[in-house]
mmCIF file of all heavy atoms in Angstrom:
data_model
loop_
_atom_site.group_PDB
_atom_site.id
_atom_site.type_symbol
_atom_site.label_atom_id
_atom_site.label_comp_id
_atom_site.label_asym_id
_atom_site.label_seq_id
_atom_site.Cartn_x
_atom_site.Cartn_y
_atom_site.Cartn_z
ATOM 1 N N ARG A 2 111.753 120.894 98.736
ATOM 2 C CA ARG A 2 111.530 121.164 100.158
ATOM 3 C C ARG A 2 111.165 122.634 100.372
ATOM 4 O O ARG A 2 110.234 122.957 101.114
ATOM 5 C CB ARG A 2 112.782 120.800 100.940
ATOM 6 C CG ARG A 2 112.640 120.973 102.415
ATOM 7 C CD ARG A 2 113.881 120.416 103.122
ATOM 8 N NE ARG A 2 113.909 120.779 104.511
ATOM 9 C CZ ARG A 2 113.181 120.221 105.453
ATOM 10 N NH1 ARG A 2 112.348 119.256 105.141
ATOM 11 N NH2 ARG A 2 113.268 120.613 106.708
ATOM 12 N N ASP A 3 111.893 123.540 99.723
ATOM 13 C CA ASP A 3 111.603 124.967 99.861
ATOM 14 C C ASP A 3 110.211 125.304 99.319
ATOM 15 O O ASP A 3 109.469 126.073 99.932
ATOM 16 C CB ASP A 3 112.657 125.806 99.136
ATOM 17 C CG ASP A 3 114.001 125.791 99.833
ATOM 18 O OD1 ASP A 3 114.078 125.338 100.996
ATOM 19 O OD2 ASP A 3 114.994 126.230 99.211
ATOM 20 N N ALA A 4 109.856 124.725 98.183
ATOM 21 C CA ALA A 4 108.533 124.988 97.602
ATOM 22 C C ALA A 4 107.431 124.481 98.529
ATOM 23 O O ALA A 4 106.413 125.157 98.719
ATOM 24 C CB ALA A 4 108.413 124.326 96.229
ATOM 25 N N LYS A 5 107.635 123.324 99.115
ATOM 26 C CA LYS A 5 106.643 122.778 100.037
ATOM 27 C C LYS A 5 106.478 123.692 101.249
ATOM 28 O O LYS A 5 105.357 123.971 101.687
ATOM 29 C CB LYS A 5 107.053 121.378 100.482
ATOM 30 C CG LYS A 5 106.008 120.674 101.307
ATOM 31 C CD LYS A 5 106.423 119.231 101.583
ATOM 32 C CE LYS A 5 105.299 118.477 102.256
ATOM 33 N NZ LYS A 5 105.633 117.060 102.418
ATOM 34 N N ALA A 6 107.596 124.179 101.786
ATOM 35 C CA ALA A 6 107.540 125.084 102.939
ATOM 36 C C ALA A 6 106.815 126.379 102.574
ATOM 37 O O ALA A 6 105.983 126.872 103.350
ATOM 38 C CB ALA A 6 108.943 125.380 103.450
ATOM 39 N N VAL A 7 107.087 126.926 101.407
ATOM 40 C CA VAL A 7 106.415 128.161 100.969
ATOM 41 C C VAL A 7 104.918 127.911 100.813
ATOM 42 O O VAL A 7 104.095 128.724 101.241
ATOM 43 C CB VAL A 7 107.031 128.696 99.660
ATOM 44 C CG1 VAL A 7 106.172 129.779 99.041
ATOM 45 C CG2 VAL A 7 108.433 129.227 99.918
ATOM 46 N N HIS A 8 104.550 126.784 100.211
ATOM 47 C CA HIS A 8 103.128 126.450 100.061
ATOM 48 C C HIS A 8 102.443 126.358 101.418
ATOM 49 O O HIS A 8 101.333 126.872 101.593
ATOM 50 C CB HIS A 8 102.952 125.124 99.317
ATOM 51 C CG HIS A 8 103.118 125.240 97.845
ATOM 52 N ND1 HIS A 8 102.131 125.684 97.017
ATOM 53 C CD2 HIS A 8 104.175 124.972 97.047
ATOM 54 C CE1 HIS A 8 102.556 125.692 95.777
ATOM 55 N NE2 HIS A 8 103.805 125.260 95.770
ATOM 56 N N LEU A 9 103.090 125.723 102.362
ATOM 57 C CA LEU A 9 102.490 125.590 103.694
ATOM 58 C C LEU A 9 102.334 126.951 104.378
ATOM 59 O O LEU A 9 101.326 127.219 105.030
ATOM 60 C CB LEU A 9 103.322 124.642 104.556
ATOM 61 C CG LEU A 9 103.278 123.176 104.105
ATOM 62 C CD1 LEU A 9 104.317 122.353 104.873
ATOM 63 C CD2 LEU A 9 101.888 122.598 104.267
ATOM 64 N N LYS A 10 103.323 127.816 104.207
ATOM 65 C CA LYS A 10 103.234 129.158 104.795
ATOM 66 C C LYS A 10 102.093 129.946 104.147
ATOM 67 O O LYS A 10 101.320 130.621 104.842
ATOM 68 C CB LYS A 10 104.557 129.906 104.616
ATOM 69 C CG LYS A 10 105.670 129.360 105.471
ATOM 70 C CD LYS A 10 106.982 130.053 105.142
ATOM 71 C CE LYS A 10 108.138 129.435 105.903
ATOM 72 N NZ LYS A 10 109.415 130.077 105.577
ATOM 73 N N LEU A 11 101.982 129.862 102.840
ATOM 74 C CA LEU A 11 100.905 130.568 102.149
ATOM 75 C C LEU A 11 99.540 129.985 102.525
ATOM 76 O O LEU A 11 98.570 130.733 102.700
ATOM 77 C CB LEU A 11 101.112 130.509 100.641
ATOM 78 C CG LEU A 11 102.300 131.310 100.116
ATOM 79 C CD1 LEU A 11 102.505 131.043 98.636
ATOM 80 C CD2 LEU A 11 102.107 132.794 100.376
ATOM 81 N N ASP A 12 99.470 128.655 102.650
ATOM 82 C CA ASP A 12 98.222 128.027 103.079
ATOM 83 C C ASP A 12 97.805 128.545 104.448
ATOM 84 O O ASP A 12 96.630 128.827 104.692
ATOM 85 C CB ASP A 12 98.367 126.505 103.121
ATOM 86 C CG ASP A 12 98.510 125.881 101.741
ATOM 87 O OD1 ASP A 12 98.337 126.602 100.739
ATOM 88 O OD2 ASP A 12 98.827 124.675 101.677
ATOM 89 N N GLU A 13 98.773 128.674 105.343
ATOM 90 C CA GLU A 13 98.476 129.184 106.690
ATOM 91 C C GLU A 13 97.974 130.629 106.610
ATOM 92 O O GLU A 13 97.035 130.999 107.309
ATOM 93 C CB GLU A 13 99.721 129.094 107.582
ATOM 94 C CG GLU A 13 99.558 129.728 108.943
ATOM 95 C CD GLU A 13 98.455 129.108 109.813
ATOM 96 O OE1 GLU A 13 97.939 128.026 109.480
ATOM 97 O OE2 GLU A 13 98.094 129.737 110.826
ATOM 98 N N LEU A 14 98.574 131.441 105.752
ATOM 99 C CA LEU A 14 98.106 132.828 105.601
ATOM 100 C C LEU A 14 96.686 132.863 105.058
ATOM 101 O O LEU A 14 95.854 133.645 105.527
ATOM 102 C CB LEU A 14 99.048 133.610 104.685
ATOM 103 C CG LEU A 14 100.408 133.943 105.271
ATOM 104 C CD1 LEU A 14 101.301 134.570 104.208
ATOM 105 C CD2 LEU A 14 100.273 134.862 106.469
ATOM 106 N N LEU A 15 96.401 132.031 104.062
ATOM 107 C CA LEU A 15 95.046 131.979 103.520
ATOM 108 C C LEU A 15 94.045 131.560 104.593
ATOM 109 O O LEU A 15 92.941 132.082 104.672
ATOM 110 C CB LEU A 15 94.970 130.999 102.344
ATOM 111 C CG LEU A 15 95.558 131.487 101.033
ATOM 112 C CD1 LEU A 15 95.595 130.356 100.019
ATOM 113 C CD2 LEU A 15 94.770 132.662 100.488
ATOM 114 N N ARG A 16 94.444 130.602 105.410
ATOM 115 C CA ARG A 16 93.563 130.128 106.470
ATOM 116 C C ARG A 16 93.333 131.216 107.519
ATOM 117 O O ARG A 16 92.244 131.371 108.042
ATOM 118 C CB ARG A 16 94.174 128.894 107.141
ATOM 119 C CG ARG A 16 93.259 128.233 108.148
ATOM 120 C CD ARG A 16 94.013 127.300 109.071
ATOM 121 N NE ARG A 16 95.019 127.960 109.886
ATOM 122 C CZ ARG A 16 94.776 128.702 110.967
ATOM 123 N NH1 ARG A 16 93.543 128.920 111.350
ATOM 124 N NH2 ARG A 16 95.746 129.245 111.659
ATOM 125 N N ALA A 17 94.343 132.010 107.792
ATOM 126 C CA ALA A 17 94.273 132.975 108.887
ATOM 127 C C ALA A 17 93.588 134.285 108.498
ATOM 128 O O ALA A 17 93.077 134.987 109.373
ATOM 129 C CB ALA A 17 95.689 133.279 109.386
ATOM 130 N N ILE A 18 93.548 134.612 107.235
ATOM 131 C CA ILE A 18 92.990 135.902 106.808
ATOM 132 C C ILE A 18 91.512 135.737 106.494
ATOM 133 O O ILE A 18 91.123 134.975 105.613
ATOM 134 C CB ILE A 18 93.748 136.449 105.581
ATOM 135 C CG1 ILE A 18 95.194 136.723 105.957
ATOM 136 C CG2 ILE A 18 93.076 137.704 105.050
ATOM 137 C CD1 ILE A 18 96.070 137.106 104.785
ATOM 138 N N ARG A 19 90.703 136.486 107.235
ATOM 139 C CA ARG A 19 89.256 136.450 107.030
ATOM 140 C C ARG A 19 88.949 136.996 105.631
ATOM 141 O O ARG A 19 89.481 138.004 105.207
ATOM 142 C CB ARG A 19 88.563 137.303 108.076
ATOM 143 C CG ARG A 19 87.053 137.194 108.048
ATOM 144 C CD ARG A 19 86.384 138.114 109.045
ATOM 145 N NE ARG A 19 87.049 138.214 110.334
ATOM 146 C CZ ARG A 19 86.721 137.498 111.409
ATOM 147 N NH1 ARG A 19 85.741 136.635 111.335
ATOM 148 N NH2 ARG A 19 87.364 137.658 112.539
ATOM 149 N N GLY A 20 88.133 136.301 104.896
ATOM 150 C CA GLY A 20 87.741 136.733 103.562
ATOM 151 C C GLY A 20 88.646 136.209 102.456
ATOM 152 O O GLY A 20 88.347 136.380 101.283
ATOM 153 N N ALA A 21 89.755 135.577 102.838
ATOM 154 C CA ALA A 21 90.641 135.011 101.819
ATOM 155 C C ALA A 21 89.957 133.814 101.179
ATOM 156 O O ALA A 21 89.186 133.093 101.823
ATOM 157 C CB ALA A 21 91.967 134.584 102.445
ATOM 158 N N ARG A 22 90.224 133.622 99.916
ATOM 159 C CA ARG A 22 89.638 132.487 99.207
ATOM 160 C C ARG A 22 90.469 131.237 99.503
ATOM 161 O O ARG A 22 91.522 131.035 98.913
ATOM 162 C CB ARG A 22 89.582 132.765 97.708
ATOM 163 C CG ARG A 22 88.638 133.913 97.375
ATOM 164 C CD ARG A 22 88.519 134.113 95.911
ATOM 165 N NE ARG A 22 89.726 134.766 95.408
ATOM 166 C CZ ARG A 22 89.920 135.045 94.128
ATOM 167 N NH1 ARG A 22 89.028 134.705 93.224
ATOM 168 N NH2 ARG A 22 91.020 135.653 93.741
ATOM 169 N N THR A 23 89.987 130.420 100.398
ATOM 170 C CA THR A 23 90.740 129.235 100.801
ATOM 171 C C THR A 23 90.804 128.185 99.697
ATOM 172 O O THR A 23 91.609 127.257 99.773
ATOM 173 C CB THR A 23 90.153 128.604 102.075
ATOM 174 O OG1 THR A 23 88.777 128.329 101.854
ATOM 175 C CG2 THR A 23 90.322 129.527 103.273
ATOM 176 N N ASN A 24 90.003 128.334 98.660
ATOM 177 C CA ASN A 24 90.106 127.409 97.535
ATOM 178 C C ASN A 24 91.403 127.629 96.744
ATOM 179 O O ASN A 24 91.727 126.850 95.862
ATOM 180 C CB ASN A 24 88.890 127.508 96.615
ATOM 181 C CG ASN A 24 88.740 128.872 95.974
ATOM 182 O OD1 ASN A 24 89.229 129.878 96.495
ATOM 183 N ND2 ASN A 24 88.051 128.929 94.859
ATOM 184 N N MET A 25 92.152 128.671 97.088
ATOM 185 C CA MET A 25 93.433 128.934 96.443
ATOM 186 C C MET A 25 94.533 128.016 96.986
ATOM 187 O O MET A 25 95.615 127.948 96.433
ATOM 188 C CB MET A 25 93.871 130.391 96.679
ATOM 189 C CG MET A 25 92.966 131.408 96.078
ATOM 190 S SD MET A 25 93.196 131.358 94.304
ATOM 191 C CE MET A 25 92.309 132.784 93.817
ATOM 192 N N VAL A 26 94.251 127.301 98.062
ATOM 193 C CA VAL A 26 95.262 126.470 98.718
ATOM 194 C C VAL A 26 95.858 125.438 97.763
ATOM 195 O O VAL A 26 97.055 125.206 97.776
ATOM 196 C CB VAL A 26 94.656 125.784 99.966
ATOM 197 C CG1 VAL A 26 95.570 124.710 100.504
ATOM 198 C CG2 VAL A 26 94.375 126.817 101.041
ATOM 199 N N ASP A 27 95.051 124.832 96.915
ATOM 200 C CA ASP A 27 95.534 123.751 96.049
ATOM 201 C C ASP A 27 95.709 124.175 94.598
ATOM 202 O O ASP A 27 95.562 123.353 93.685
ATOM 203 C CB ASP A 27 94.563 122.565 96.120
ATOM 204 C CG ASP A 27 94.541 121.932 97.493
ATOM 205 O OD1 ASP A 27 95.589 121.939 98.154
ATOM 206 O OD2 ASP A 27 93.480 121.428 97.904
ATOM 207 N N LEU A 28 96.059 125.412 94.346
ATOM 208 C CA LEU A 28 96.201 125.885 92.970
ATOM 209 C C LEU A 28 97.193 125.060 92.152
ATOM 210 O O LEU A 28 96.999 124.840 90.963
ATOM 211 C CB LEU A 28 96.655 127.352 92.943
ATOM 212 C CG LEU A 28 95.609 128.406 93.224
ATOM 213 C CD1 LEU A 28 96.222 129.798 93.157
ATOM 214 C CD2 LEU A 28 94.454 128.306 92.263
ATOM 215 N N GLU A 29 98.265 124.602 92.797
ATOM 216 C CA GLU A 29 99.287 123.852 92.057
ATOM 217 C C GLU A 29 98.755 122.539 91.501
ATOM 218 O O GLU A 29 99.353 121.946 90.605
ATOM 219 C CB GLU A 29 100.524 123.603 92.921
ATOM 220 C CG GLU A 29 100.291 122.725 94.119
ATOM 221 C CD GLU A 29 99.799 123.463 95.346
ATOM 222 O OE1 GLU A 29 99.476 124.664 95.280
ATOM 223 O OE2 GLU A 29 99.724 122.825 96.403
ATOM 224 N N ASP A 30 97.597 122.090 91.992
ATOM 225 C CA ASP A 30 97.005 120.842 91.513
ATOM 226 C C ASP A 30 96.043 121.042 90.346
ATOM 227 O O ASP A 30 95.559 120.068 89.769
ATOM 228 C CB ASP A 30 96.262 120.133 92.655
ATOM 229 C CG ASP A 30 97.213 119.703 93.761
ATOM 230 O OD1 ASP A 30 98.401 119.444 93.470
ATOM 231 O OD2 ASP A 30 96.772 119.630 94.926
ATOM 232 N N LEU A 31 95.753 122.311 90.005
ATOM 233 C CA LEU A 31 94.816 122.591 88.914
ATOM 234 C C LEU A 31 95.445 122.277 87.559
ATOM 235 O O LEU A 31 96.663 122.386 87.386
ATOM 236 C CB LEU A 31 94.414 124.069 88.921
ATOM 237 C CG LEU A 31 93.545 124.564 90.064
ATOM 238 C CD1 LEU A 31 93.306 126.069 89.921
ATOM 239 C CD2 LEU A 31 92.233 123.828 90.115
ATOM 240 N N PRO A 32 94.603 121.938 86.573
ATOM 241 C CA PRO A 32 95.113 121.791 85.201
ATOM 242 C C PRO A 32 95.636 123.150 84.708
ATOM 243 O O PRO A 32 95.230 124.208 85.206
ATOM 244 C CB PRO A 32 93.882 121.368 84.400
ATOM 245 C CG PRO A 32 92.877 120.919 85.404
ATOM 246 C CD PRO A 32 93.197 121.611 86.684
#
């Protein structure tokens, strides 16, 4: 639950910051 909340918070930061690489949102799914 804590990890999911942290991921969502970081996703929101990536979405909100202009120039951030939004492809970083799903890093945990990468090989």
Side-chain angles (χ1 to χ4, degrees):
R2 183 173 169 77
D3 289 347
K5 187 174 187 175
V7 168
H8 281 279
L9 291 170
K10 289 174 185 179
L11 291 173
D12 291 351
E13 174 61 12
L14 289 173
L15 284 172
R16 187 197 62 76
I18 297 173
R19 187 183 320 264
R22 295 184 285 178
T23 55
N24 63 336
M25 296 288 190
V26 168
D27 294 328
L28 282 180
E29 65 274 8
D30 296 332
L31 291 178

